[in-house]
């Protein structure tokens, strides 16, 4: 059996939503201490709805595939729904990740949460 699902390969080879949003409403950045990989997420939010999302990563193939899928999953969704996105849901949407690559999907989940928190703290100001 192949190590990676077709969906993982597709999102790795053709990642969606790669890039930067210059005037983002929320930016999140996280790193994984073990592998040293970094993930950055930019959100554009209008009326509590995520209207645009972009990511940049200095990460492995699974991290690229996870963030590509995760950004697709939260685009057009309310902030409250995006806050509930789990790395497990991302991995499932990718038809699974090898066990030792699950932490790569955590990076995507945490970066999104981080960006949402950044957005919320800016709202309070
Ligand atoms: Fe570090 Fe995948 S090995 S994010």
């Amino acid at each position: 059996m192949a190590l990676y699902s077709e969906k993982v390969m597709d999102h790795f080879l053709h990642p969606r939503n790669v890039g930067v949003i210059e005037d983002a409403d929320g930016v999140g950045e996280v790193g994984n201490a073990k592998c040293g990989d970094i993930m950055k997420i930019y959100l554009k939010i209008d009326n509590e709805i995520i209207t645009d999302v972009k990511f940049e990563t200095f990460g492995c193939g699974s991290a690229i595939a996870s963030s590509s899928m995760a950004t697709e999953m939260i685009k057009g969704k309310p902030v409250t729904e995006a806050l509930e996105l789990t790395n497990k849901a991302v991995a499932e949407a990718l038809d699974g990740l090898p066990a030792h690559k699950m932490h790569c999907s955590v990076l995507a989940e945490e970066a999104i949460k981080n960006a949402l928190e950044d957005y919320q703290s800016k709202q309070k100001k």
Side-chain angles (χ1 to χ4, degrees):
M1 196 193 105
L3 192 55
Y4 294 107
S5 73
E6 271 176 35
K7 275 196 193 162
V8 173
M9 290 309 293
D10 177 37
H11 279 264
F12 166 56
L13 294 171
H14 313 283
R16 282 58 148 186
N17 309 312
V18 175
V20 178
I21 300 176
E22 296 293 350
D23 58 343
D25 298 306
V27 180
E29 185 173 341
V30 290
N32 180 295
K34 269 194 202 148
C35 64
D37 291 349
I38 298 166
M39 174 84 59
K40 204 162 176 184
I41 296 268
Y42 301 85
L43 299 172
K44 199 77 197 143
I45 298 172
D46 188 20
N47 230 338
E48 293 299 298
I49 302 284
I50 298 168
T51 53
D52 199 11
V53 45
K54 293 260 186 288
F55 80 91
E56 286 180 310
T57 187
F58 189 58
C60 72
S62 297
I64 294 169
S66 297
S67 11
S68 169
M69 179 56 91
T71 53
E72 285 286 274
M73 289 169 86
I74 63 164
K75 212 179 200 177
K77 298 275 162 62
V79 167
T80 45
E81 214 173 295
L83 276 167
E84 281 166 15
L85 182 77
T86 63
N87 78 298
K88 230 179 130 231
V90 174
E92 271 165 23
L94 287 168
D95 291 337
L97 281 170
H100 67 285
K101 285 286 174 181
M102 277 306 277
H103 76 270
C104 316
S105 61
V106 175
L107 213 58
E109 177 196 323
E110 285 181 348
I112 287 173
K113 293 229 160 87
N114 218 298
L116 289 167
E117 279 160 18
D118 179 47
Y119 161 72
Q120 287 175 330
S121 70
K122 279 180 185 149
Q123 291 301 100
K124 278 180 202 140
K125 274 180 203 153

